[in-house]
Amino acid sequence: MRLFLYQLRGELKKLFSRRRTYIGYVVFLLFEAVLLLVFQLEHSKEEMAELLTENGLAFGDYYSSLTVTYWVMGFSMFMLGSIYFALVAGDIVAKESEDGNLRLVLVRPVSRLRVLLLKYVAVIIFTVTFVIFVGITGYIMSVIALGFEGGLFVWNYEMKVFAAYPDWGEGAGRLVMAALLIGVSMCTLSTIAFAFSCLKIKPAAATILALSVLFVDFVLLRFPFMQSYRDLFVTHRMSNWVYVLENNLSWAKIGESYAFLGGLNVTLFVAGWMAFQLRDFKT
Amino acid sequence: MLEVDGLRKSFGGKPALQDVSFAVREGEIFGLLGHNGAGKSTALGIILGIVEPNAGEARIAGVSVQRNRRVALRHAGAIFESPAFYEYMSGWDNLKILMSYSGGFDAAAAREVVAEVGLADRIGSKVGAYSHGMRQRLALAQALLPTPKVLLLDEPTDGLDPEGIKWFRDFILKLRDDRGMTVLFNSHLLPEVEQMCDRVAIIRQGQLVYDGDLAGIAEERLVLRIDAEPLNQAQAVFRQFGGEEAGDGRVVFPEGTDAAAIAKALVEAGTALRELRPVRRSLEDVYLEVSGSPEPEGGRSQP
């Protein structure tokens, strides 16, 4: 275990020594700032006020840093997170294979499974911590723009979630749980890209394939006749983090979704490992 | 120390190795030669456990790579033609990461090896700023750090300048002399192989066509440079002794042929004999004889 942690430290060091890793952080910060500016526009405020008052809630109580953080986090993960995580995870094996670094690793007394497991754990740590980073920075920026006070208002039409938390503490607690679950959801995206990365393909191909799978899944889910099968769609399951924000919290519903995603992740990892194990790394 | 037994490998139905067997003795430098695509790198990949053979086995220090890869590879260090490191990290960090896969990093041992390969001044610099020669020195360091018994070198001097090649050659010879290191040297550079190796094996189109002692190559067959006229009469004498013309006035006779008897026969046949002198057969001669014409992509083999 100690050696595994030492090797994992090396994997994380590789990941965080790349300049482009930090480019991702900067891009997300800029994106969050832009979203925050959009929420500050009069038109956005009017829309939010309309939505709140129509549901009997006071605009002043819920147009807050917590509510804006919820929107910023959701939007940035949906629009940029998917691309960014697919890029990083699609790269992690395929790039080293393409560059030839893997040869120097695989000629050492270490199993291929262990090499893959280390890379996978590194990707998972990166994914979850990145989502938490986005949540924290989103909240700090929102506090700077809107102040500390206010409750949390959640509205997700597709997932049929509508909730309001007038108490800051409860709202903040739910938002922290939501951030963690978004992180776990995003791990599925990273796992899909990782599995493709284990094949003998270019890093860009692994990223594109992962995004294509999710895009097809996302589009098919929007077909009306697919609604009865929506529990079988990955993107639907990935969106189930929002259930943690419901007033009547159902851990069974959330647990079922994350068990589905967990099973899918294990299956994808094993499939990637099998493909990786059978590959010849010709010099 | 290193044995390869009945290796077979095909890629997409095309045979890359066909029943290749050879053995490298402890403390010797063994050269593996062949054209591009002959199967040398495939053989090396199988020995290092990164290519799975269709049949056969490679053993390092008596341990089968195919059955017990992790134990077998504890005894091996490897260098590839273009060693790929993490460019954005320092040489030192690269060593730390690579050594973590060999069981752990010993900073004191690493400092010693880095000094030995002459990289102490630049080990803290990013690998992206290294020259090809420095990368090869770093490759040597990472291969030597786990204190292997066998060193496998895949065209390590390709792209090095003459000083770099000489340094590398001297270093490998020193490893053999001082530490008794066993080395498998895969190269196109015949003069390098000739200067470094004790024995060689030549692979042609996936088949082993020569495996022998380098020192004995010159003595195996008699090569004479002969200038005699008229040519047709001289050629009749060559045939009488089983000689084959090898161009440039050289005639190759079977082992044990007496040069004096040939000279006598040529004079008795009425030829004007201007020159008859033995020519030492080089590794290049042997290589070209047994490996035949290079493949179209084999332009890197020595002329």
Side-chain angles (χ1 to χ4, degrees):
Chain A
M1 190 61 190
R2 207 171 146 186
L3 184 60
F4 186 87
L5 291 174
Y6 181 66
Q7 290 166 338
L8 181 61
R9 211 173 98 186
E11 280 301 324
L12 290 169
K13 189 165 187 177
K14 275 193 279 181
L15 201 56
F16 287 98
S17 295
R18 285 180 175 182
R19 193 179 294 166
R20 74 171 182 190
T21 304
Y22 297 98
I23 292 172
Y25 283 89
V26 173
V27 168
F28 265 82
L29 282 176
L30 291 173
F31 190 65
E32 283 181 306
V34 169
L35 284 176
L36 205 61
L37 280 174
V38 170
F39 277 108
Q40 293 276 64
L41 295 174
E42 276 309 309
H43 183 69
S44 303
K45 283 184 182 175
E46 281 166 19
E47 291 241 337
M48 180 73 87
E50 196 181 325
L51 187 65
L52 285 165
T53 47
E54 272 177 6
N55 289 286
L57 300 168
F59 175 75
D61 292 342
Y62 291 98
Y63 183 73
S64 65
S65 49
L66 286 182
T67 302
V68 171
T69 304
Y70 158 75
W71 289 104
V72 165
M73 214 160 60
F75 267 129
S76 53
M77 278 302 129
F78 176 74
M79 295 177 79
L80 264 187
S82 48
I83 297 167
Y84 188 57
F85 294 132
L87 265 173
V88 172
D91 232 32
I92 196 143
V93 179
K95 185 82 172 86
E96 285 202 19
S97 174
E98 186 184 55
D99 291 350
N101 308 111
L102 262 182
R103 276 190 322 191
L104 282 179
V105 172
L106 294 177
V107 297
R108 293 179 180 273
V110 60
S111 70
R112 292 191 185 186
L113 174 62
R114 192 182 181 102
V115 172
L116 276 195
L117 203 57
L118 284 161
K119 292 189 181 300
Y120 183 63
V121 172
V123 162
I124 294 303
I125 291 173
F126 173 78
T127 305
V128 174
T129 52
F130 194 89
V131 174
I132 292 169
F133 165 83
V134 171
I136 291 171
T137 51
Y139 182 65
I140 291 171
M141 282 198 259
S142 302
V143 167
I144 293 167
L146 301 168
F148 180 75
E149 299 294 319
L152 170 65
F153 168 65
V154 178
W155 180 73
N156 188 318
Y157 175 75
E158 270 183 39
M159 302 301 289
K160 299 176 177 57
V161 173
F162 181 92
Y165 299 93
D167 175 58
W168 181 90
E170 198 182 357
R174 291 297 184 101
L175 208 53
V176 169
M177 284 196 279
L180 290 173
L181 287 184
I182 292 175
V184 180
S185 289
M186 284 297 166
C187 287
T188 300
L189 194 157
S190 296
T191 309
I192 295 170
F194 180 87
F196 282 123
S197 184
C198 295
L199 307 177
K200 195 178 176 181
I201 54 176
K202 298 262 181 200
T207 302
I208 291 166
L209 279 170
L211 288 173
S212 303
V213 166
L214 287 174
F215 182 71
V216 169
D217 183 281
F218 182 79
V219 171
L220 283 177
L221 180 61
R222 261 107 203 118
F223 288 5
F225 52 88
M226 287 291 187
Q227 282 306 302
S228 50
Y229 303 107
R230 65 181 199 161
D231 284 346
L232 296 173
F233 284 85
V234 180
T235 47
H236 172 73
R237 293 292 193 177
M238 283 173 67
S239 304
N240 284 5
W241 60 269
V242 79
Y243 292 146
V244 84
L245 296 171
E246 281 184 314
N247 283 113
N248 296 318
L249 183 57
S250 168
W251 283 112
K253 193 162 67 174
I254 295 166
E256 187 207 340
S257 276
Y258 284 93
F260 176 93
L261 292 179
L264 179 68
N265 290 351
V266 171
T267 308
L268 287 168
F269 178 83
V270 171
W273 168 43
M274 297 311 283
F276 188 73
Q277 190 71 34
L278 293 172
R279 279 178 63 183
D280 284 329
F281 290 85
K282 201 165 172 291
T283 59
Chain B
M1 179 55 72
L2 174 66
E3 293 156 298
V4 159
D5 192 11
L7 289 188
R8 286 176 185 275
K9 179 68 183 176
S10 300
F11 291 106
K14 194 183 168 196
L17 282 181
Q18 300 174 64
D19 202 21
V20 169
S21 302
F22 59 83
V24 185
R25 296 177 205 126
E26 189 171 354
E28 82 173 351
I29 303 180
F30 188 88
L32 193 58
L33 300 170
H35 303 314
N36 278 347
K40 307 183 304 289
S41 294
T42 303
L44 205 73
I46 292 172
I47 295 167
L48 288 166
I50 53 176
V51 174
E52 190 64 24
N54 298 122
E57 185 178 65
R59 288 183 292 275
I60 301 174
V63 183
S64 167
V65 177
Q66 280 65 44
R67 287 184 210 162
N68 204 348
R69 187 182 155 276
R70 274 195 283 174
V71 176
L73 290 183
R74 275 183 204 146
H75 305 295
I79 299 178
F80 299 108
E81 181 186 348
S82 307
F85 293 101
Y86 304 105
E87 303 276 315
Y88 48 89
M89 297 174 88
S90 68
W92 186 255
D93 283 340
N94 268 278
L95 289 180
K96 273 167 102 170
I97 286 176
L98 289 170
M99 278 309 293
S100 75
Y101 291 107
S102 289
F105 181 71
D106 179 345
R111 269 192 290 274
E112 229 172 84
V113 170
V114 164
E116 205 179 347
V117 299
L119 210 55
D121 295 344
R122 297 293 304 275
I123 196 68
S125 306
K126 285 190 177 171
V127 174
Y130 279 17
S131 65
H132 184 61
M134 288 163 75
R135 281 165 201 261
Q136 280 301 28
R137 285 170 191 243
L138 185 62
L140 255 178
Q142 64 80 31
L144 291 174
L145 259 177
T147 56
K149 291 179 182 168
V150 182
L151 203 55
L152 297 114
L153 314 174
D154 189 12
E155 305 187 17
T157 51
D158 266 23
L160 291 180
D161 55 28
E163 290 85 358
I165 292 176
K166 186 182 181 316
W167 179 88
F168 197 90
R169 184 201 313 140
D170 292 345
F171 192 88
I172 297 298
L173 288 171
K174 197 165 172 284
L175 280 178
R176 193 255 325 255
D177 297 341
D178 296 354
R179 299 188 200 174
M181 184 83 77
T182 306
V183 181
L184 176 66
F185 186 67
N186 174 358
S187 180
H188 289 285
L189 304 174
L190 300 182
E192 282 309 304
V193 173
E194 204 162 16
Q195 288 183 68
M196 279 171 66
C197 297
D198 304 306
R199 286 197 308 134
V200 292
I202 300 174
I203 297 181
R204 175 183 159 79
Q205 291 174 350
Q207 290 178 311
L208 194 76
V209 290
Y210 183 87
D211 178 4
D213 200 338
L214 199 56
I217 278 179
E219 285 78 40
E220 272 180 18
R221 294 163 83 183
L222 176 69
V223 183
L224 298 174
R225 187 180 298 280
I226 300 174
D227 183 2
E229 279 185 349
L231 189 60
N232 58 341
Q233 283 183 15
Q235 282 171 334
V237 173
F238 300 160
R239 281 195 294 274
Q240 188 189 325
F241 283 86
E244 286 174 22
E245 286 181 86
D248 197 24
R250 290 178 309 158
V251 186
V252 181
F253 294 95
E255 193 179 350
T257 309
D258 183 6
I262 298 168
K264 191 180 171 201
L266 282 167
V267 172
E268 283 175 358
T271 63
L273 184 61
R274 292 196 193 92
E275 184 186 13
L276 188 151
R277 61 182 171 88
V279 178
R280 186 185 174 274
R281 289 171 79 224
S282 66
L283 174 62
E284 188 177 307
D285 296 327
V286 176
Y287 176 79
L288 292 174
E289 272 171 43
V290 299
S291 66
S293 303
E295 300 294 315
E297 68 270 26
R300 286 159 68 192
S301 60
Q302 297 297 295

